Amino acid sequence: GDVLQDTGSTTGLIRLCKVGDFVITLGPDNAAAGACIVVEAKEAGNYSVKSTLDECDEARRNRGSDVGLFVHSKRTAPAGFEAFGRYGNDIVVIWDPTDSSTDVNLKAGFSVAKALCVRKAQHSNKEAASWTVIDKSMEQLRKQIASFTELRASTETIQRASEKSLDRIRIMSKGLDDALATMDEQLAGIRCSSSID
């Protein structure tokens, strides 16, 4: 029921400003129906944490959104960025559309963004108690994604090393087979000449 609008080529509330690539409006079944999440998607390597958050803030203001979701391409994400991070009403994730293992970052970012919209829409004490639990869950989510990303990187390193070793084993195996074949051929020749003598 959520509605995605491509806004990157149109100006927003700020004069002559096109910041804010997409706007997601939460559907009528959501507790924060009508709330907006602006999505800024970048594949550029000249960003810091500060410039990312500054642009996310501008995107929120320009698109009249409650929450910002900034998606950095894995190819150009700044060094030191976590795969998933929350900064107040802004979520920053790293995603690679060609690597399905990073989809969890994007999905988690969107889920947390929706949760923040709901939080802003509701204010009772009972709900505040529930949000303490949700906040803990968000932090746990951040830690799990960080661990997941680290483990994936380690596993990929091991996999590359294993592939390199297997390639070397294949080359050595062929070399051994060739050497054995040559030796057998030479021995056969010696045996033949010995029997003729």
Side-chain angles (χ1 to χ4, degrees), residues 174-194:
K174 186 179 183 317
L176 287 167
D177 287 343
D178 290 348
L180 287 169
T182 300
M183 191 168 68
D184 287 345
E185 188 180 307
Q186 292 301 314
L187 287 171
I190 291 170
R191 280 195 294 270
C192 283
S193 64
S194 296

Side-chain angles (χ1 to χ4, degrees), residues 89-148:
N89 281 338
D90 294 324
I91 310 299
V92 180
V93 300
I94 296 175
W95 181 58
D96 180 354
T98 65
D99 180 1
S100 61
S101 69
T102 66
D103 287 355
V104 67
N105 304 348
L106 190 60
K107 289 175 183 176
F110 181 53
S111 293
V112 170
K114 287 174 80 170
L116 290 173
C117 287
V118 173
R119 179 181 200 165
K120 188 173 180 182
Q122 301 183 354
H123 304 287
S124 76
N125 289 335
K126 183 178 177 184
E127 287 156 355
S130 297
W131 278 106
T132 301
V133 176
I134 292 171
D135 281 340
K136 287 181 181 175
S137 296
M138 288 182 188
E139 179 58 18
Q140 185 64 23
L141 184 63
R142 185 194 67 76
K143 288 180 180 176
Q144 289 296 325
I145 288 175
S147 296
F148 175 79

Side-chain angles (χ1 to χ4, degrees), residues 42 78 87 141 173 189:
K42 288 291 178 212
Y87 306 84
L141 184 63
S173 179

